[in-house]
């Protein structure tokens, strides 16, 4: 069974096609990057897989559960760290984590244990008692990822997790994401090519709502005849392939 | 239910940590109570009785609820503006969980606000030498719950339908309508004609009437039970509408 399976998935907004008949399969434990320029359809695809928006055509499955017919089951299997800041600003780091743990349906003891485990795992100890609104961008992103992990998801969606972060904060988040490989299936959308290059097992390049290329870095390089993901990406996005 | 309670706790905590909630939900009604008492003391004998403490206290409690409505609209629209709700939409939380999660803490705040308003009204009445009926105040506290739910549901609907820039001004319109057509600051029943008909077409009038009747233990059908029934039906209808609207918005992401 694939962790994520997508067949001919399509989404239209007011007649404009945002995602057009994409198909892909993601293996369990894999880190899969979805690349594309702005408006390529990455976030829409993630939203459909997270049951946040209805597809207009095709089918998507997360751990074998249908995103259109078994939404509640899918939602129990996934975690999401959205593109924008998605924390409760007037709660502390610990309270934010506690909230998501409780919403995930854990009992009191498991909530407490899980919160402390995640705080320790992601190195949030020094800010655990701080209100989220007082955190820097890097800490907020880290908290956002921690919140998406606390429910012990099988599939984790990270929508541009390092957007706007300085290089040190970005590298630290990379370490966190790399630590998830093999344990959690991660679907990452990003504009940073070095990020995808560093972290991904498999990469899909979306252009105008379609998947133009799909494979490992070396496969994309072989396909385009270019060296490095950035060059390969540009060749694919510009339609040279 | 656990999800609802977890989300309620979050809303309650966030509200308690927002200084605006104290100013709008507690400070402002108390200030109005004191000011209007001073106005009442300045009116010569035989003038309008609407600012007498036994009529003013329950009316100010209703007025306070309109600010909880504004605060609810602000909270929900602000949450919708960020990605925090997007994260929660991807959890098994349902539209009903969100609706109750927002409404329950606001009802708690509203109840607390009424307790503080009545306590202040009672102290003022003792100072004035015309003590309020304690039993009436307790009954009024209970009678105010449906109107608290009604105003909170209106705020919830505004916060769900409109953004953080539009929802507060719309709530302010309801505050004005509620104040004037609800007979908070004047005796609506003494006006008659089109004005009274207009007042009777909106639920705000019945909120004030039921609370005032309860405060003086007037348990007549026309003064107490009918207004209470109207407010309760409106509160239930608006809550269901709010839940339906929110669920629809969730799906329309």
């Amino acid at each position: 069974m694939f962790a994520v399976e997508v067949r001919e998935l399509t989404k239209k907004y007011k007649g404009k096609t945002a995602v057009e008949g994409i198909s892909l399969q993601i293996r369990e434990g894999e880190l899969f990057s979805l690349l594309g320029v702005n408006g390529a359809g990455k976030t829409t695809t993630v939203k459909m897989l997270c049951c946040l928006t209805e597809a207009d055509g095709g089918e998507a499955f997360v751990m074998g559960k249908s995103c259109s017919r078994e939404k509640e089951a899918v939602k129990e299997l996934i975690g999401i760290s959205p593109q924008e800041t998605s924390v409760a600003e007037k709660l502390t780091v610990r309270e934010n984590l506690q909230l998501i743990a409780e919403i995930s349906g854990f009992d009191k003891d498991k909530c407490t244990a899980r919160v402390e485990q995640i705080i320790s795992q992601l190195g949030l100890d020094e800010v655990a008692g701080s209100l989220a609104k007082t955190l820097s961008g890097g800490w907020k992103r880290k908290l956002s990822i921690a919140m998406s992990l606390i429910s012990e998801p099988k599939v984790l969606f990270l929508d541009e997790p390092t957007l706007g972060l300085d290089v040190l904060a970005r590298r630290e988040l990379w370490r966190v994401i790399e630590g998830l490989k093999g344990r959690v299936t991660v679907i990452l959308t990003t504009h940073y090519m070095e990020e995808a290059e560093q972290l991904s097992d498999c990469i899909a390049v979306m252009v105008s709502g379609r998947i133009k290329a799909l494979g490992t870095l070396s496969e994309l390089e072989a396909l385009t005849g270019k060296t490095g993901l950035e060059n390969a990406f540009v060749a694919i996005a510009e339609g040279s392939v | 239910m656990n999800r609802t309670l977890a989300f309620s706790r979050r809303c309650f905590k966030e509200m308690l940590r927002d200084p605006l909630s104290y100013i709008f939900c507690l400070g402002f009604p108390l200030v109005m109570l004191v000011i209007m008492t001073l106005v009442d003391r300045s009116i010569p004998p035989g003038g309008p009785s609407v600012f007498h403490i036994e009529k003013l206290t329950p009316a100010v409690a209703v007025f306070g609820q309109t600010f909880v409505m504004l605060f609810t609209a602000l909270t929900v629209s602000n949450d919708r503006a960020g990605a925090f709700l997007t994260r929660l939409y991807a959890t098994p939380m349902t539209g009903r969980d969100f609706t109750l999660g927002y409404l329950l803490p606001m009802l708690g705040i509203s109840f607390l606000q009424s307790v503080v308003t009545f306590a202040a009204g009672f102290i003022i009445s003792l100072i004035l030498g015309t003590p309020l009926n304690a039993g009436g105040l307790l009954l009024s506290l209970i009678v105010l719950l449906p109107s608290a739910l009604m105003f909170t549901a209106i705020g919830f609907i505004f916060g769900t339908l409109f953004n953080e820039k539009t929802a507060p001004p719309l709530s302010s319109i309801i505050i004005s309508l509620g104040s004037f057509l609800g007979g908070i600051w004047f005796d609506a029943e003494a006006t008659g004609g089109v004005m009274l008909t207009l007042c009777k077409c909106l639920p705000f009038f019945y909120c004030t009437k039921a609370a005032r009747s309860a405060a003086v233990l007037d348990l007549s059908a026309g003064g107490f039970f009918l207004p209470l029934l109207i407010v309760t039906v409106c509160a239930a209808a608006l809550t269901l509408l709010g839940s339906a609207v929110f669920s629809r918005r969730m799906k329309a992401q």
Side-chain angles (χ1 to χ4, degrees):
Chain A
M1 183 178 63
F2 290 105
V4 175
E5 190 171 5
V6 172
R7 298 180 200 143
E8 294 295 320
L9 202 63
T10 299
K11 179 71 187 175
K12 292 177 183 173
Y13 289 110
K14 292 175 184 169
K16 189 175 178 291
T17 305
V19 175
E20 192 171 357
I22 63 166
S23 297
L24 55 89
Q25 287 142 355
I26 303 170
R27 285 186 294 274
E28 276 188 65
E30 194 171 70
L31 201 150
F32 184 93
S33 286
L34 209 47
L35 307 184
V37 293
N38 290 331
K42 307 183 296 291
T43 298
T44 305
T45 303
V46 167
K47 279 187 169 179
M48 285 190 281
L49 293 174
C50 292
C51 308
L52 291 173
T53 191
E54 298 264 3
D56 293 316
E59 280 190 290
F61 299 89
V62 173
M63 304 302 290
K65 306 284 181 194
S66 165
C67 293
S68 56
R69 294 186 303 278
E70 299 169 281
K71 284 183 186 172
E72 196 161 333
V74 170
K75 287 178 176 184
E76 282 175 2
L77 293 166
I78 62 169
I80 179 173
S81 178
Q83 205 174 90
E84 304 154 62
T85 305
S86 52
V87 299
E89 298 279 345
K90 292 188 209 90
L91 294 189
T92 65
V93 167
R94 184 174 271 111
E95 286 169 342
N96 265 290
L97 294 168
Q98 183 87 22
L99 169 68
I100 302 297
E102 286 172 356
I103 286 174
S104 302
F106 296 153
D107 62 36
K108 202 178 169 189
D109 289 343
K110 173 123 195 223
C111 274
T112 311
R114 192 74 191 121
V115 167
E116 295 312 317
Q117 188 186 2
I118 282 283
I119 285 175
S120 157
Q121 197 180 324
L122 272 81
L124 289 163
D125 308 72
E126 64 179 282
V127 292
S130 307
L131 291 180
K133 66 178 179 183
T134 64
L135 301 178
S136 67
W139 281 115
K140 272 190 189 171
R141 293 277 175 175
K142 223 171 172 184
L143 171 60
S144 182
I145 292 175
M147 286 165 77
S148 60
L149 279 170
I150 200 157
S151 61
E152 298 175 334
K154 299 276 184 213
V155 180
L156 177 66
F157 295 89
L158 300 176
D159 197 1
E160 302 192 25
T162 61
L163 188 71
L165 296 187
D166 64 53
V167 67
L168 293 180
R170 189 181 304 164
R171 288 292 168 108
E172 200 180 339
L173 272 186
W174 285 5
R175 280 194 287 276
V176 171
I177 296 167
E178 269 189 312
L180 301 172
K181 278 171 99 167
R183 294 189 291 125
V184 182
T185 307
V186 181
I187 291 140
L188 172 81
T189 73
T190 182
H191 281 297
Y192 300 116
M193 295 301 131
E194 74 276 24
E195 186 166 290
E197 197 166 337
Q198 172 87 19
L199 300 171
S200 314
D201 297 311
C202 189
I203 299 162
V205 179
M206 289 188 77
V207 179
S208 305
R210 294 178 181 199
I211 291 182
K212 285 284 181 188
L214 176 66
T216 60
L217 172 61
S218 49
E219 285 169 344
L220 296 186
E221 285 175 331
L223 177 75
T224 56
K226 307 281 183 188
T227 308
L229 182 58
E230 187 160 332
N231 293 326
F233 173 81
V234 170
I236 296 162
E238 287 181 343
S240 319
V241 179
Chain B
M1 198 60 192
N2 285 345
R3 291 186 177 115
T4 304
L5 292 177
F7 189 64
S8 282
R9 276 197 293 274
R10 170 260 162 180
C11 294
F12 193 67
K13 277 181 193 166
E14 291 226 66
M15 204 159 50
L16 290 183
R17 288 169 189 173
D18 188 342
L20 272 183
S21 63
Y22 295 95
I23 296 167
F24 280 122
C25 298
L26 288 177
F28 203 53
L30 288 180
V31 167
M32 292 307 285
L33 192 64
V34 172
I35 290 174
M36 290 306 169
T37 301
L38 290 174
V39 169
D40 186 51
R41 302 294 288 170
S42 310
I43 295 173
S49 64
V50 73
F51 298 139
H52 290 356
I53 195 69
E54 73 278 6
K55 285 191 173 181
L56 182 65
T57 307
V60 168
V62 173
F63 181 62
Q65 292 178 341
T66 63
F67 282 90
V68 179
M69 170 193 65
L70 169 68
F71 206 76
T72 309
L74 207 57
T75 304
V76 179
S77 58
N78 273 332
D79 274 357
R80 285 183 47 248
F84 179 63
L85 279 189
T86 304
R87 174 193 292 286
L88 297 186
Y89 289 164
T91 69
M93 278 187 78
T94 62
R96 199 192 67 163
D97 291 329
F98 282 107
T99 306
L100 290 175
Y102 277 117
L103 297 190
L104 288 176
M106 295 300 175
L107 279 178
I109 292 286
S110 206
F111 183 75
L112 189 68
Q113 183 192 56
S114 297
V115 169
V116 172
T117 305
F118 281 160
F122 191 71
I123 292 166
I124 291 171
S125 75
L126 289 177
I127 294 166
L128 296 175
T130 53
L132 292 172
N133 186 315
L137 291 186
L138 285 176
L139 179 64
S140 196
L141 267 180
I142 297 163
V143 166
L144 280 166
L145 287 175
S147 64
L149 180 62
M150 186 190 81
F151 281 114
T152 310
I154 295 171
F156 180 67
I157 292 169
F158 282 168
T160 303
L161 287 177
F162 304 104
N163 65 27
E164 73 280 15
K165 290 193 179 92
T166 314
L170 284 172
S171 301
S172 301
I173 292 172
I174 298 293
I175 292 175
S176 304
L177 278 177
S179 302
F180 289 102
L181 300 180
I184 290 174
W185 306 129
F186 72 101
D187 189 355
E189 285 181 285
T191 57
V194 179
M195 188 64 193
L196 183 58
T197 308
L198 200 57
C199 290
K200 285 184 170 178
C201 286
L202 293 167
F204 315 122
F205 170 79
Y206 302 102
C207 298
T208 316
K209 188 164 180 169
R212 275 183 177 148
S213 298
V216 292
L217 292 175
D218 165 15
L219 303 182
S220 61
F224 177 73
F225 285 107
L226 188 61
L228 182 60
L229 180 68
I230 293 170
V231 177
T232 306
V233 169
C234 285
L238 286 164
T239 304
L240 289 174
L241 178 67
S243 184
V245 168
F246 194 90
S247 299
R248 204 179 162 83
R249 280 270 157 162
M250 267 177 85
K251 285 178 188 157
Q253 265 279 304

